[in-house]
Amino acid sequence: MPSSIPSFQPFYERAIARKGSIKAIQSMLPEVASSEELAALGDDRYLSIVTACVFRAGFVWRIINHKWPGFEEAFSGFVPLYWQQVPPERLEALARDERIVRNMQKIFTVPQNAQMIVEASEEYNGFGRFLSQWPSDDQVGLLLWLKKNGARLGGATAQHFLRRVGWDGYVLSSDVVTALENHNLLDAAPTSKKGLTQVQTAFNAWHQETGLPYSHLSRILSYSVGA
């Protein structure tokens, strides 16, 4: 079983020592969107970003980033209402479209993720409003919801999606996992429900201690690992 949660201060001090100064660390912290900013982002942008994260998983990120304008053209701006009921022949045509990475398994995630976004949007008057009402102290619940209702949103993909839209949460990078394991705060697979619950417990405690956003705690923790 994991040990009691240590203070976050030693992690912070080690990160400062590795990066040189508090100012250096602050310059590298991710931006956190307000509830209003999450709500203002259009459903088409959420589908675009989640699709980018799906295609980037297990692939060279810079290639996807370089080709992304072509993706936007090929997917006609990622309008969820259209893509949730897209004709099969449109998907088949994308498999021959040189503007994108022609991976049919990932192409087929777009309708399912579009449906996920549309259904949440209809209930909450926007997918961003749905995200904005989900508390950061229950990221486990949100990750499980995304995995259940979306396509290929298990593991780190959903975490990177939430980070890219500015939702305040942790990303279990290899450095973050190493830091947690080194301090006996994680003794299960980080992708399992048990492991995610252990991670959430640690981050909830550190958030209460420091008042820092979860995404900042996550990034600082990653900087604490290494020489």
Side-chain angles (χ1 to χ4, degrees):
M1 293 293 292
S3 60
S4 59
I5 310 301
S7 169
F8 193 73
Q9 189 62 29
F11 296 103
Y12 194 24
E13 292 174 355
R14 183 168 177 79
I16 293 171
R18 293 190 66 239
K19 295 300 179 181
S21 67
I22 294 175
K23 184 177 180 180
I25 288 178
Q26 289 176 337
S27 69
M28 296 182 283
L29 295 177
E31 293 186 8
V32 179
S34 66
S35 295
E36 292 76 16
E37 289 170 329
L38 289 171
L41 191 64
D43 288 352
D44 62 315
R45 293 304 85 203
Y46 282 109
L47 182 58
S48 172
I49 294 168
V50 78
T51 303
C53 291
V54 168
F55 272 86
R56 286 170 63 174
F59 203 75
V60 180
W61 288 19
R62 68 175 180 275
I63 293 177
I64 301 300
N65 293 342
H66 177 73
K67 294 179 72 71
W68 200 250
F71 273 82
E72 289 284 350
E73 293 176 357
F75 284 92
S76 304
F78 290 98
V79 178
L81 284 171
Y82 170 78
W83 287 101
Q84 72 165 344
Q85 52 188 3
V86 62
E89 55 269 21
R90 180 72 188 277
L91 295 175
E92 294 169 1
L94 286 169
R96 303 184 297 273
D97 195 322
E98 295 184 355
R99 293 175 293 180
I100 70 171
V101 173
R102 290 163 290 175
N103 182 315
M104 276 307 295
Q105 290 183 329
K106 294 187 176 184
I107 290 170
F108 276 120
T109 67
V110 176
Q112 186 171 339
N113 288 329
Q115 183 177 12
M116 172 189 72
I117 289 170
V118 168
E119 291 178 353
S121 181
E122 289 176 345
E123 182 174 354
Y124 290 90
N125 193 31
F127 190 75
R129 293 185 186 278
F130 162 74
L131 287 182
S132 70
Q133 58 80 43
W134 203 296
S136 294
D137 63 6
D138 182 30
Q139 183 173 343
V140 175
L142 180 53
L143 292 175
L144 293 174
W145 185 92
L146 289 167
K147 181 178 181 179
K148 177 182 178 182
N149 292 280
R152 287 185 173 245
L153 294 182
T157 303
Q159 297 168 30
H160 286 295
F161 163 64
L162 294 173
R163 174 63 58 82
R164 285 193 63 184
V165 301
W167 190 88
D168 186 24
Y170 52 78
V171 171
L172 293 179
S173 67
S174 58
D175 285 341
V176 169
V177 171
T178 296
L180 292 167
E181 291 177 339
N182 285 349
H183 290 79
N184 300 315
L185 298 173
L186 179 64
D187 64 5
T191 55
S192 68
K193 185 175 182 179
K194 178 182 178 183
L196 288 172
T197 300
Q198 292 173 352
V199 171
Q200 189 77 65
T201 298
F203 276 98
N204 286 351
W206 290 329
H207 176 70
Q208 291 176 6
E209 174 194 348
T210 66
L212 291 172
Y214 286 72
S215 59
H216 290 190
L217 292 167
S218 176
R219 182 66 60 82
I220 294 168
L221 186 63
S222 72
Y223 291 154
S224 75
V225 174

